Amino acid sequence: MSEVKLSAATRTNFGKGAARQARRDGLVPGVIYGHGTDPKHVDVEGHGLMMALKTPNVLLSLNIKGGGTELVIPKAVQRHPVKRTLTHVDFLIVQKGEKVTVEVPVVTEGDLAPGANMLETLLTTISVEAEATHIPTEVTVSIEGLEAGATIHASDLVLPAGTTLAVDGETAVLQVVAPQAEEPAAEAATEGAEA
């Protein structure tokens, strides 16, 4: 995974008014923390950050005006409940070679065995440990030919080199279930009347 470079500035004004003004100026308020350092409050360029966050667990290189560069990953993203615009982001400082635990999306490929079976997704993401500069964007699992009753556990997932599970291998991720047959409403009503 390559780094996304973004510009940022140290934030000196705090409170709702200052945060609103930053957002009007196209910036997103955020805080950088980790590795025993004091939290740094920053304003990050909004459009670039929004585009970068389309990639899960993106690695960001924040060039802080007058404050050096920090290598970070987004840890908590807050959005406006209606507009879905970014309102605040927490960034975790990482270092090259360091292992971090992150949630990675689980993506399926292939088709189930013929029939009316249904795929039940128990986990949409899986917790893994990976090097901060090599976090996978997704974990792909094949469901080709699976029949009713089949279950895919975390230990069945094929992870990229250098990535390990951060959950119990017996954790169920996906399962194939047979559809439940429903009684036609007319038959149910007739049986009720006879009783």
Side-chain angles (χ1 to χ4, degrees):
M1 174 187 295
S2 59
E3 298 171 21
V4 175
K5 293 178 170 48
L6 295 174
S7 60
T10 302
R11 186 159 36 110
T12 53
N13 298 325
F14 299 96
K16 287 184 180 178
R20 279 194 203 104
Q21 183 59 50
R23 287 191 281 273
R24 277 195 295 271
D25 294 341
L27 302 170
V28 178
V31 63
I32 301 171
Y33 62 91
H35 286 281
T37 61
D38 290 334
K40 292 181 190 172
H41 298 274
V42 293
D43 288 326
V44 183
E45 59 172 294
H47 180 71
L49 180 59
M50 183 183 68
M51 298 306 288
L53 291 178
K54 290 180 185 286
T55 302
N57 303 309
V58 64
L59 185 65
L60 301 170
S61 176
L62 295 183
N63 184 11
I64 304 165
K65 190 176 180 181
T69 302
E70 291 284 7
L71 198 59
V72 299
I73 57 173
K75 209 57 182 161
V77 178
Q78 296 171 20
R79 295 181 184 272
H80 188 281
V82 177
K83 299 177 188 172
R84 305 304 297 153
T85 53
L86 297 173
T87 57
H88 191 274
V89 181
D90 289 356
F91 299 102
L92 178 66
I93 297 172
V94 294
Q95 295 174 342
K96 291 186 189 308
E98 174 188 11
K99 292 268 192 178
V100 293
T101 301
V102 292
E103 294 288 322
V104 178
V106 176
V107 178
T108 58
E109 65 180 10
D111 297 312
L112 296 175
N117 295 326
M118 297 184 303
L119 182 66
E120 185 177 358
T121 302
L122 304 173
L123 294 177
T124 56
T125 62
I126 193 78
S127 188
V128 298
E129 187 178 64
E131 190 180 325
T133 54
H134 294 91
I135 298 172
T137 54
E138 63 187 27
V139 174
T140 305
V141 59
S142 173
I143 58 169
E144 188 66 41
L146 293 181
E147 298 184 355
T151 301
I152 293 178
H153 296 92
S155 58
D156 299 326
L157 300 175
V158 179
L159 301 175
T163 304
T164 56
L165 283 176
V167 295
D168 183 5
E170 291 303 307
T171 304
V173 179
L174 303 164
Q175 64 185 14
V176 182
V177 294
Q180 301 296 319
E182 293 183 18
E183 278 188 29
E187 286 181 25
T190 307
E191 288 172 9
E194 288 172 357

